[in-house]
Amino acid sequence: MFLSTFEIFKIGVGPSSSHTMGPMVAARDFIAALPDHAPGAAAVAGSLHGSLAFTGKGHATDRAVFLGLMGFDPATLDADAAETALVALSEQRSITPQGLRFDPARDLAFDYGPPLPQHANGMQLWVLDADGHELWRQAYFSVGGGFVKTAAEMDVAEEDTPAANAPYPFANATQMLAMGEDARLSIADMKRANELANMSPEDLRDGLHNVWCVMCACIDRGLGAEGTLPGGLNVTRRARGIHARLGQAGNPMPHSANDWLSVYAMAVNEENAMGGQIVTAPTNGAAGVVPAVMRYYDDHCDGFTDARLETFLLTAAAIGGLIKHNASISGAECGCQAEVGSAAAMAAAGFCAVLGGTNAQIENAAEIALEHHLGMTCDPVKGLVQVPCIERNAMGAIKAVSAASLALHGDGGHVMPLDNCIETMRQTGEDMRAKYKETSRGGLAVNLPEC
């Protein structure tokens, strides 16, 4: 099994990797495939199902689909160009340059019935000829972290990527630890070797540093911005004010480390809620945890270097890949334990690694962090990635640092292996009722007091 670091850490836009980035990618891919499947197409339409329907408005899923149909990509999205294109689409009711009829007010349906059978995040797109006859229909599933699969791909067992020639293709933590012991290599070293099977050292280095630069830029924007987040909850941005007060504290309390971790994470997720540029880590809804711990290490701890930056990201990506491969990183599939829980495990592993942890201690750190997110529901109020999501990232960052510290106080030996914890998360998500899995039909989402 091999998932690239750059599949776990993808540059995109907020507010959701599964509900914004994924649908945009799916719509873009659908339009790109039209010449092969329906060269005589005259009109396009679509429908959103399951969680994509129930929380699609709050996650701007419809807007993402419109942009994807017009050829926009999350990784390169120009916000000004996107807004101009959306205005033109509303006025012209046509997808250019293909000239396909599409009315954004009526041609994308929110289907609140049962979800499509293969995944909670389903959508369908189809094209019609000039007489209204359907020419081609495709179902897509946004499976978390911006990953998208067609219906046919969902029915095929997951296969190794082109990096199947990776020298250390560990598919679970047990294999990872065994390979590391046999080769006398760290988790980061094995992950690096796997990446170098398909890219040059320069491309890997530049890619990792670009991910960190985008993360830092997102934190900095969040720390400098104020105002109210969109969507109707009237959530006030808090990161700037908290950051200013922390900077003015003359005699900080010992627990101020938690405040710094929190403010970095909140800065990221406030930017995400605004639809800003973000790095999935492993998702948008959990995007604040890893960069918060990294920024805390950079700003408040000794030893941050380019080499350790790479070690952090490579280690974190290895853990994220194991969780995605063996369970899920999708809130719609397994609740927020799969998003913030996975992010905390990744951050704990990365932090433990750069502080000198052994492979066994790193695996222990990831397990501690994930274990103490088990059962967490995904219940965004009004379908917005704001309440409880922003603060939940702050708590995830704090748990990650605590987990790494606890692991470093031990020798790596512990009762519950990471693999078993990941499997427990998968089983818990499978048993969790749908109303607690990113549909905004249960939990906090239905218990907001009326004012």
Side-chain angles (χ1 to χ4, degrees):
M1 188 280 298
F2 178 78
L3 269 176
S4 172
T5 300
F6 303 109
E7 293 179 279
I8 297 296
F9 296 117
K10 293 194 287 289
I11 297 171
V13 294
S16 171
S17 48
S18 59
H19 289 62
T20 311
M21 289 172 57
M24 192 184 303
V25 169
R28 181 206 63 193
D29 290 350
F30 179 78
I31 288 295
L34 282 185
D36 295 329
H37 292 276
V44 61
S47 56
L48 303 173
H49 302 263
S51 178
L52 292 186
F54 283 107
T55 61
K57 290 292 185 181
H59 287 78
T61 305
D62 47 355
R63 180 179 183 275
V65 171
F66 303 156
L67 291 172
L69 291 174
M70 293 185 288
F72 285 87
D73 181 86
T76 58
L77 185 73
D78 181 301
D80 292 335
E83 290 304 321
T84 300
L86 288 169
V87 170
L89 176 63
S90 179
E91 294 173 348
Q92 299 169 10
R93 301 176 189 175
S94 176
I95 301 293
T96 56
Q98 294 85 354
L100 298 169
R101 294 194 311 275
F102 181 80
D103 184 346
R106 50 175 283 183
D107 289 333
L108 181 66
F110 286 74
D111 188 328
Y112 299 110
L116 299 180
Q118 292 162 297
H119 194 276
N121 285 336
M123 59 183 283
Q124 297 186 85
L125 294 169
W126 58 90
V127 286
L128 311 168
D129 64 17
D131 296 322
H133 300 123
E134 185 175 313
L135 298 176
W136 179 53
R137 177 183 294 254
Q138 181 68 278
Y140 293 93
F141 299 89
S142 184
V143 297
F147 291 89
V148 173
K149 291 185 178 183
T150 64
E153 290 168 340
M154 292 290 290
D155 288 334
V156 176
E158 188 171 315
E159 298 177 355
D160 285 344
T161 68
N165 58 336
Y168 304 102
F170 47 84
N172 54 53
T174 301
Q175 293 177 1
M176 179 181 72
L177 292 175
M179 290 180 187
E181 184 174 0
D182 289 344
R184 298 192 176 187
L185 291 174
S186 70
I187 294 169
D189 287 338
M190 290 189 291
K191 187 67 174 173
R192 182 186 300 277
N194 289 345
E195 297 289 354
L196 293 179
N198 275 309
M199 67 176 66
S200 70
E202 294 76 19
D203 286 343
L204 177 59
R205 179 199 64 213
D206 292 347
L208 292 172
H209 283 255
N210 185 49
V211 165
W212 175 231
C213 286
V214 175
M215 286 178 170
C216 277
C218 184
I219 290 174
D220 290 339
R221 289 195 310 273
L223 294 177
E226 56 188 352
T228 301
L229 298 177
L233 282 179
N234 297 318
V235 173
T236 300
R237 296 180 70 139
R238 291 180 286 165
R240 178 177 176 174
I242 295 172
H243 185 248
R245 287 190 291 276
L246 287 172
Q248 295 166 0
N251 186 23
M253 298 289 285
H255 62 261
S256 66
N258 289 342
D259 296 331
W260 284 104
L261 285 162
S262 296
V263 77
Y264 295 145
M266 292 170 67
V268 171
N269 285 86
E270 287 176 359
E271 278 297 294
N272 180 61
M274 292 294 297
Q277 189 179 54
I278 210 84
V279 177
T280 64
T283 67
N284 281 28
V289 179
V290 170
V293 176
M294 292 184 70
R295 184 66 169 260
Y296 170 76
Y297 178 49
D298 187 6
D299 287 356
H300 303 275
C301 304
D302 294 329
F304 190 91
T305 63
D306 286 349
R308 290 187 180 180
L309 152 68
E310 295 174 12
T311 293
F312 196 119
L313 289 174
L314 289 168
T315 305
I319 299 302
L322 294 181
I323 296 172
K324 184 182 186 304
H325 179 67
N326 293 296
S328 176
I329 58 172
S330 167
E333 197 167 26
C334 284
C336 200
Q337 58 174 354
E339 296 205 34
V340 171
S342 298
M346 292 164 59
F351 194 46
C352 186
V354 297
L355 293 180
T358 65
N359 286 354
Q361 289 171 319
I362 292 166
E363 183 262 0
N364 187 18
E367 186 276 328
I368 293 170
L370 182 60
E371 178 179 84
H372 296 288
H373 283 86
L374 290 177
M376 184 174 284
T377 59
C378 184
D379 47 359
V381 177
K382 289 193 70 174
L384 301 167
V385 193
Q386 298 176 22
V387 178
C389 317
I390 294 170
E391 290 179 354
R392 193 166 280 177
N393 275 257
M395 297 299 105
I398 292 170
K399 286 185 181 181
V401 170
S402 297
S405 183
L406 281 173
L408 287 166
H409 280 295
D411 61 3
H414 55 109
V415 173
M416 182 59 63
L418 176 59
D419 287 331
N420 298 65
C421 189
I422 292 172
E423 173 59 17
T424 300
M425 190 262 276
R426 186 195 67 79
Q427 293 174 4
T428 303
E430 193 172 83
D431 292 340
M432 193 180 290
R433 293 176 64 181
K435 71 178 184 178
Y436 297 115
K437 295 192 287 188
E438 209 166 358
T439 60
S440 291
R441 292 187 293 150
L444 295 173
V446 298
N447 282 291
L448 184 71
E450 295 292 336
C451 298

